[in-house]
Amino acid sequence: MVLRRLRTVQDFGHKAVLILGDFTAMVGDPSGKSATRPRLSKEEVDAHAQTYVEQVGEILDTSPERLEVRRNSEWLAPL
């Protein structure tokens, strides 16, 4: 649903901003209770992010004029 709404934004002539939770993926489940959310290395996260952006391209126009991809590590990593 979110991707379709971003596509609507693009269709109205705006640039959509897609935020990837790369820092969140590197943290995983800090409590250690969930094996389904293990900590991932930066390299693993980058590989997953690339395939995600490719999949998003099925719905969104991924040209730089129409889509800006940002990572939440840009503002969370310094914390």
Side-chain angles (χ1 to χ4, degrees):
M1 183 69 174
V2 172
L3 295 178
R4 297 236 182 254
R5 188 57 57 199
L6 284 176
R7 181 56 193 236
T8 301
V9 168
Q10 289 181 321
D11 291 343
F12 279 106
H14 302 285
K15 179 186 251 186
V17 178
L18 178 67
I19 300 173
L20 300 179
D22 66 326
F23 189 77
T24 310
M26 287 187 275
V27 172
D29 179 4
S31 72
K33 295 179 183 176
S34 176
T36 60
R37 289 186 54 211
R39 292 183 77 159
L40 300 176
S41 70
K42 181 170 179 3
E43 293 76 24
E44 290 173 306
V45 171
D46 288 344
H48 291 302
Q50 181 57 40
T51 62
Y52 186 72
V53 172
E54 290 170 7
Q55 293 172 49
V56 164
E58 296 294 320
I59 297 173
L60 300 177
D61 179 349
T62 58
S63 63
E65 308 82 43
R66 304 287 310 273
L67 181 67
E68 179 179 346
V69 178
R70 305 294 301 262
R71 294 173 177 236
N72 69 356
S73 63
E74 294 175 32
W75 57 90
L76 291 175
L79 300 175

